[in-house]
Amino acid sequence: MLEWLKEPELNFPGQLEHGGFEHGVCVGQIQAKAGLTQSTVSEYLSILQRAGFIEAKRVGQWTYYKRNEGAFEALSKLIQSNL
Amino acid sequence: MLEWLKEPELNFPGQLEHGGFEHGVCVGQIQAKAGLTQSTVSEYLSILQRAGFIEAKRVGQWTYYKRNEGAFEALSKLIQSNL
DNA sequence: CAAATATATCGACTTTTCCCGATATATCAA
DNA sequence: TTGATATATCGGGAAAAGTCGATATATTTG
């Protein structure tokens, strides 16, 4: 999912009908591509959000998720320095 | 364990009586510090070895493990580029 | 407000990982 | 060769993670 969200336009063409990509991609799009149930995907995303790898923005009935690039940079640096 | 192995002299003083640090640190030293059973630690180390994070060298009845720094560098870069 | 839609949460079940004790293997010393 | 020591492997029970269906919550539309 994290890799998919690097290129939302490429990986989630259906997102066009849901307000575009400004705020990210909504759960339904990710669910369809993942082939997992809605509940599973929703839980995954909330875990990734709590871990700081993605950000959520609720707009109306939709929740948009997008990557937080800073977190990946930080993880990479952490492995370099602490591990 | 991986962090411990960054500074073997500091974290495994007992290793001095086991041939020094040239080849790394032997399992018993790591086990004592980890507070886990011998079998658990041995399994961990072999997993880390298969994953490429540490290297093993058998000398007599001892197996010495030391870090493979390249693997950490590679992981850090992989997160930067692929994730 | 009621129905429809999108997402979140809950409880249960399955799969995987963690960790142990017992045992096997390898080496050394006598 | 025998006993002692260090490590590895195996089988199993406990803990955690993955996944689901059912249901709850929030929002929009009529």
Side-chain angles (χ1 to χ4, degrees):
Chain A
M1 291 180 193
L2 294 172
E3 291 185 353
W4 293 342
L5 289 172
K6 280 181 89 171
E7 300 177 308
E9 291 85 353
L10 235 83
N11 290 302
F12 304 101
Q15 180 64 29
L16 278 171
E17 285 94 83
H18 287 281
F21 300 95
E22 313 86 82
H23 302 117
V25 178
C26 56
V27 181
Q29 300 293 316
I30 300 172
Q31 192 229 318
K33 192 172 174 75
L36 296 169
T37 64
Q38 185 271 324
S39 62
T40 299
V41 172
S42 176
E43 191 183 357
Y44 273 26
L45 291 170
S46 90
I47 289 169
L48 289 171
Q49 187 203 355
R50 282 196 300 279
F53 291 111
I54 57 180
E55 294 166 352
K57 179 168 182 69
R58 183 92 194 212
V59 177
Q61 55 197 144
W62 294 282
T63 306
Y64 297 88
Y65 286 99
K66 67 174 172 189
R67 288 167 56 100
N68 174 16
E69 297 297 339
F72 296 92
E73 193 64 29
L75 176 59
S76 172
K77 283 190 167 35
L78 183 110
I79 288 171
Q80 273 187 67
S81 58
N82 289 29
L83 206 70
Chain B
M1 292 180 191
L2 294 172
E3 291 184 355
W4 292 342
L5 289 172
K6 281 181 87 171
E7 299 177 309
E9 290 85 354
L10 234 82
N11 291 301
F12 304 101
Q15 179 64 31
L16 277 172
E17 284 95 82
H18 287 282
F21 300 94
E22 314 86 82
H23 303 117
V25 178
C26 56
V27 181
Q29 300 294 316
I30 301 172
Q31 192 229 317
K33 191 172 176 76
L36 296 169
T37 64
Q38 186 270 324
S39 62
T40 298
V41 171
S42 176
E43 191 184 356
Y44 275 26
L45 291 171
S46 90
I47 290 169
L48 289 172
Q49 187 202 356
R50 281 196 300 278
F53 291 110
I54 58 178
E55 293 165 354
K57 179 169 183 69
R58 184 94 195 210
V59 177
Q61 54 196 146
W62 293 282
T63 306
Y64 297 88
Y65 286 99
K66 67 174 170 188
R67 288 167 55 99
N68 174 16
E69 297 297 341
F72 297 92
E73 193 65 28
L75 176 60
S76 172
K77 284 190 166 34
L78 183 109
I79 288 172
Q80 272 188 69
S81 58
N82 289 28
L83 205 71

